[in-house]
Amino acid sequence: MEHLGQGVPQDYVQAVKWYRLAAEQGRAAAQRTLGFMYDKGQGVPQDYVQAVKWYRLAAEQGDAAAQNNLGTMYDYGRGVPQDYVQAHKWYSLAASQALTKSESHEQVVKNRDQAAARMTPAQIAEAKRLAREWTPKSEGLGQ
């Protein structure tokens, strides 16, 4: 509510406080959103390394939006060394979860295909292998 200013004045600092409490309890949606706050510098100084940390925790639990965001961080080398193989892997994992052809699904597929255009066939094969072998990690508290 504080993040969006719904029912209360918008306060990113307070929103970060609440997201962090939930994120530290293993809540994937809170981890993803805390990563977003660091990514955009909302309520905290912009910090791509912290953004990657929180995106990764959510992505490893199978959160498709966090997987897409983590793919973007690898794609552009924000908070991590640029790595198209990892970008493609995370985009592929996010895309594989879509049940319908939503606009966000289309964007993830576009992201993956754009990364693939910058990769060698061997890199694409490696990214696909990594995506096939990937399994979500449970943080033990559900989502």
Side-chain angles (χ1 to χ4, degrees):
M1 301 301 278
E2 291 182 292
H3 182 180
L4 302 174
Q6 294 179 336
V8 295
Q10 188 174 45
D11 186 338
Y12 291 148
V13 173
Q14 278 298 107
V16 165
K17 170 189 160 186
W18 294 112
Y19 287 135
R20 184 179 313 281
L21 286 170
E24 288 173 349
Q25 294 177 46
R27 307 294 285 194
Q31 292 168 338
R32 173 188 8 96
T33 306
L34 186 56
F36 178 84
M37 301 299 274
Y38 276 106
D39 194 356
K40 303 304 177 192
Q42 294 180 339
V44 291
Q46 188 175 48
D47 185 334
Y48 293 141
V49 172
Q50 282 296 305
V52 166
K53 168 189 169 182
W54 293 107
Y55 285 153
R56 184 180 312 282
L57 287 169
E60 288 177 347
Q61 292 185 69
D63 185 294
Q67 290 170 340
N68 180 61
N69 292 348
L70 186 56
T72 299
M73 301 305 272
Y74 276 108
D75 207 359
Y76 294 97
R78 293 184 184 139
V80 290
Q82 189 174 47
D83 185 333
Y84 295 138
V85 170
Q86 286 296 314
H88 191 285
K89 174 187 96 172
W90 289 111
Y91 289 147
S92 292
L93 290 168
S96 71
Q97 294 188 58
L99 299 175
T100 63
K101 294 288 185 179
S102 67
E103 181 179 324
S104 60
H105 176 261
E106 294 300 324
Q107 184 60 51
V108 173
V109 170
K110 182 179 175 182
N111 291 345
R112 183 197 60 208
D113 293 348
Q114 287 175 341
R118 297 184 292 268
M119 298 167 68
T120 66
Q123 289 173 315
I124 294 169
E126 175 67 4
K128 288 180 179 180
R129 183 188 65 77
L130 291 171
R132 275 192 315 273
E133 293 175 358
W134 179 85
T135 56
K137 295 178 184 174
S138 172
E139 294 300 311
L141 293 174
Q143 299 171 27

